Amino acid sequence: MAEPRPIPWETIAVEAVAIVLSILLAFAIDAWWTEKQESEVEHAALRALHSDFVASREQLEVVHRSLEDGRSNFARFQSATTDELIEIDPDAIRWILSGLVKNHTFDPLTATLDALANDGRLGLISDPQLLGHLSKWRRELDNIEDISFELRAESVLVRRAMQKHGGPFFRWRRSLDGLNVLPRASGQTLANLRQDKDFMGTARSHQYALSIYLVELQKLAETLDSTVELLHQITAQR
């Protein structure tokens, strides 16, 4: 009867350790690769967010200037004497009419943020301060959208109030040559509008909504500036 062969425990132990190490190494490589991919996605998302926020800040500045111009033109209309309105320059008539119905609102670029939120990838952003900024930004956008609706509604009421005086009127540089769809206001038209108490009440209500919108727009500008600065700092460190 043959003698039993000794069990090579040492060899088995070495092989077992090698198998365990290979499994752990595979997991480590997989984890490293996943982390690397997520880091690359996060970095790309941060760059895209920075681009969107910079573009939004530039667009906000355009809207802010437009609304401030509208408010200045209304102030000129309200403070001018009747004779000054009657003799006013035709170009000034156009800008005053524009100021009376100004409803230029902010339309930010939110494609990247929306895509991250909709795809569930917003969690890839690892900086908690930035996540706080993005959350604040979205809340403020929701708030100003409600105010935008009010501003547009007030603008419509002013246009309707102009109808009693022959409006709405042509206001823009690009004329509808050959169509003559809208009448052109004169200095006398402005004087008549200014003397109409009902119209002036409607116009002042619109200016109040415009002023509220400008206040909220300034808050958005501050949030944009701080977020752009934070994004710049984060991307510069990577």
Side-chain angles (χ1 to χ4, degrees):
M1 185 174 182
E3 295 183 0
R5 295 177 60 187
I7 301 175
W9 292 111
E10 184 176 346
T11 302
I12 293 174
V14 170
E15 292 177 351
V17 169
I19 292 172
V20 171
L21 288 176
S22 64
I23 293 173
L24 292 176
L25 180 60
F27 279 128
I29 292 173
D30 185 61
W32 171 82
W33 180 248
T34 300
E35 183 179 352
K36 183 176 184 296
Q37 287 182 313
E38 290 180 351
S39 179
E40 290 176 351
V41 170
E42 180 186 10
H43 188 58
L46 291 173
R47 292 200 308 270
L49 283 171
H50 184 270
S51 177
D52 285 1
F53 273 82
V54 169
S56 293
R57 186 64 179 89
E58 293 172 354
Q59 204 258 347
L60 186 149
E61 188 60 32
V62 171
V63 174
H64 189 273
R65 285 198 304 268
S66 174
L67 295 179
E68 285 289 4
D69 287 345
R71 190 158 64 170
S72 297
N73 286 319
F74 176 81
R76 178 183 180 184
F77 167 70
Q78 186 171 231
S79 63
T81 66
T82 300
D83 289 341
E84 287 173 338
L85 288 175
I86 292 174
E87 299 298 326
I88 199 167
D89 180 82
D91 284 338
I93 294 174
R94 180 171 58 247
W95 298 124
I96 286 175
L97 288 172
S98 177
L100 286 171
V101 297
K102 182 73 73 172
N103 64 355
H104 194 177
T105 54
F106 178 48
D107 185 21
L109 186 60
T110 60
T112 302
L113 183 57
D114 291 343
L116 290 172
N118 294 336
D119 294 346
R121 291 184 292 173
L122 200 57
L124 291 176
I125 295 178
S126 56
D127 190 288
Q129 186 178 4
L130 177 58
L131 287 173
H133 276 254
L134 296 177
S135 178
K136 181 182 180 184
W137 168 247
R138 297 184 76 174
R139 290 196 305 271
E140 290 181 350
L141 285 182
D142 289 340
N143 183 49
I144 204 168
E145 179 59 31
D146 293 337
I147 303 173
S148 299
F149 178 81
E150 182 179 352
L151 178 60
R152 290 190 291 265
E154 291 289 346
S155 175
V156 170
L157 292 177
V158 176
R159 293 169 191 266
R160 290 176 179 172
M162 285 182 178
Q163 292 176 2
K164 187 167 66 173
H165 299 276
F169 301 102
F170 172 80
R171 302 185 308 282
W172 315 117
R173 287 188 180 277
R174 296 178 182 177
S175 62
L176 303 174
D177 292 337
L179 295 180
N180 295 320
V181 175
L182 298 177
R184 294 177 182 271
S186 64
Q188 185 62 57
T189 306
L190 294 184
N192 293 341
L193 289 172
R194 226 270 306 280
Q195 291 171 359
D196 185 335
K197 293 182 179 179
D198 290 338
F199 174 82
M200 289 303 294
T202 303
R204 291 190 183 99
S205 179
H206 167 260
Q207 289 296 311
Y208 178 72
L210 190 152
S211 296
I212 292 176
Y213 190 86
L214 278 170
V215 170
E216 295 303 317
L217 204 62
Q218 182 58 40
K219 294 179 183 178
L220 274 179
E222 293 171 1
T223 300
L224 269 172
D225 288 341
S226 61
T227 305
V228 167
E229 177 61 25
L230 181 58
L231 280 166
H232 179 72
Q233 293 174 4
I234 295 173
T235 54
Q237 294 171 358
R238 292 170 181 260

